[in-house]
Amino acid sequence: MHGHVIAGAALLVAIVGPLLLGFAGLMHARRARSAAAAPPWDWKLTIRSTLLYVLAFNLTFFIQELFLVLPKAFTPGLRPTLFHNNHQWEGTHPLASLFQGTGALATVLTSAGCLWWLKRGSGTSGNARLLLIWMAYCGIFMALPQVAIGAISASSDLGMAMTYLQLGNTTRLVAAMVALAALPPIALWLTGPLLALADSPDRIATPGARTRFVFLVATLPVLLGTVLIIPFRVPREWIEVVLLPAWVAVLGVTWMQAGAWRFDGVRASGNRAGSVAKPLAAVLLLLFVFQCVLRPGIAFH
């Protein structure tokens, strides 16, 4: 019964809610005042955002797996190994199940740090601010859905941790509802800093302009980035390769896209043009590390 409730809530968060908010934006845009056409689009910003999203996703995933491994590495009787797309361990210890929750905890804390940094206004370059936005985004949307999955599946990472903590069905249900309810406001909060990257007020002056800006700086880069993430995760079962990047993409960027029209008070900060070469080099270097260093496995024992 709880599984059906959680599945229904997930459907509301992933599909129904963004559709209703987007429809409200469409109605509002029809009544909005006209404005001068936005300047020609700089596609370098879309490319930079795509590369930085790929970088942020994979760094966040690495943080998750690293902090799944480290507690086990210091636990007698456990011999963990870190891979580019997973981790495993040999031996037994009662705490092993609890430590299946430390990866999600680490990504949430990383995201909180990036959110705090963004709120302080740090990250002066366009690339730095974009990376902070995507690190905050990936940390939350990689971790919180696992709470809902853990409430349904005892064999999942957080499901094992919940079992160790002896959480009952009602507690699991409440935790899942809270986690799912937190996703839309976090996504919408991140939409503000994203719109502030605009290099001129005309780009975000109207509901339609803001919707277009978010599509070109967030939605399109996330969709393209989800495809580019695949080489970091193979070889593995395709459901494992695709499922995590897909839910991280869908659960957040749909709310950002649907709610962009609402942010009429954002001030364009003048996006300081960042380099495409640096994010590209960072992505290629990380791919090399994943496939040539981590893929064979690094034993933490």
Side-chain angles (χ1 to χ4, degrees):
M1 181 63 182
H2 286 170
H4 291 96
V5 174
I6 294 171
L11 183 65
L12 286 173
V13 170
I15 299 175
V16 178
L19 283 177
L20 292 176
L21 182 58
F23 181 75
L26 180 63
M27 296 297 100
H28 181 80
R30 289 181 176 179
R31 300 191 297 268
R33 62 180 176 82
S34 59
W41 184 252
D42 179 8
W43 286 99
K44 288 183 179 180
L45 179 55
T46 302
I47 296 170
R48 285 162 44 211
S49 187
T50 301
L51 293 171
L52 290 167
Y53 177 77
V54 172
L55 185 64
F57 180 96
N58 288 296
L59 285 174
T60 303
F61 184 79
F62 174 76
I63 290 170
Q64 173 182 278
E65 295 302 308
L66 179 63
F67 281 89
L68 283 166
V69 164
L70 287 178
K72 299 183 182 75
F74 292 100
T75 304
L78 297 181
R79 299 178 297 279
T81 303
L82 176 66
F83 298 96
H84 67 301
N85 58 11
N86 200 2
H87 83 287
Q88 65 183 27
W89 72 92
E90 298 175 352
T92 58
H93 194 282
L95 288 174
S97 294
L98 176 63
F99 292 153
Q100 286 300 95
T102 53
L105 177 60
T107 63
V108 168
L109 292 176
T110 301
S111 179
C114 291
L115 288 170
W116 173 79
W117 203 346
L118 277 171
K119 194 172 182 179
R120 289 183 63 240
S122 299
T124 55
S125 73
N127 282 350
R129 281 181 287 174
L130 265 173
L131 183 60
L132 284 174
I133 290 169
W134 288 134
M135 287 292 292
Y137 176 97
C138 289
I140 290 295
F141 288 91
M142 196 175 292
L144 292 190
Q146 294 185 56
V147 179
I149 294 171
I152 299 172
S153 172
S155 61
S156 66
D157 286 352
L158 287 187
M160 295 172 67
M162 289 176 178
T163 299
Y164 178 90
L165 294 171
Q166 300 181 355
L167 301 185
N169 288 335
T170 300
T171 304
R172 292 183 185 219
L173 176 62
V174 171
M177 294 296 101
V178 170
L180 290 173
L183 297 178
I186 293 172
L188 291 172
W189 189 90
L190 286 169
T191 307
L194 194 74
L195 287 166
L197 293 171
D199 59 358
S200 71
D202 288 344
R203 291 204 189 276
I204 55 174
T206 66
R210 291 189 289 274
T211 297
R212 176 177 181 264
F213 186 86
V214 168
F215 177 78
L216 293 171
V217 178
T219 305
L220 183 58
V222 166
L223 293 175
L224 294 174
T226 299
V227 176
L228 296 177
I229 287 165
I230 291 175
F232 289 81
R233 300 180 60 78
V234 294
R236 200 180 178 189
E237 302 85 353
W238 274 103
I239 190 170
E240 296 290 345
V241 169
V242 175
L243 182 60
L244 177 59
W247 94 43
V248 172
V250 170
L251 288 175
V253 80
T254 50
W255 283 98
M256 298 170 81
Q257 184 65 68
W261 62 275
R262 299 175 63 249
F263 291 81
D264 57 358
V266 176
R267 182 174 63 87
S269 60
N271 175 38
R272 300 184 182 181
S275 166
V276 172
K278 290 180 179 178
L280 177 60
V283 167
L284 292 176
L285 177 60
L286 190 62
L287 179 60
F288 173 82
V289 171
F290 269 45
Q291 288 293 347
C292 297
V293 179
L294 294 176
R295 179 173 168 177
I298 297 178
F300 281 70
H301 54 82

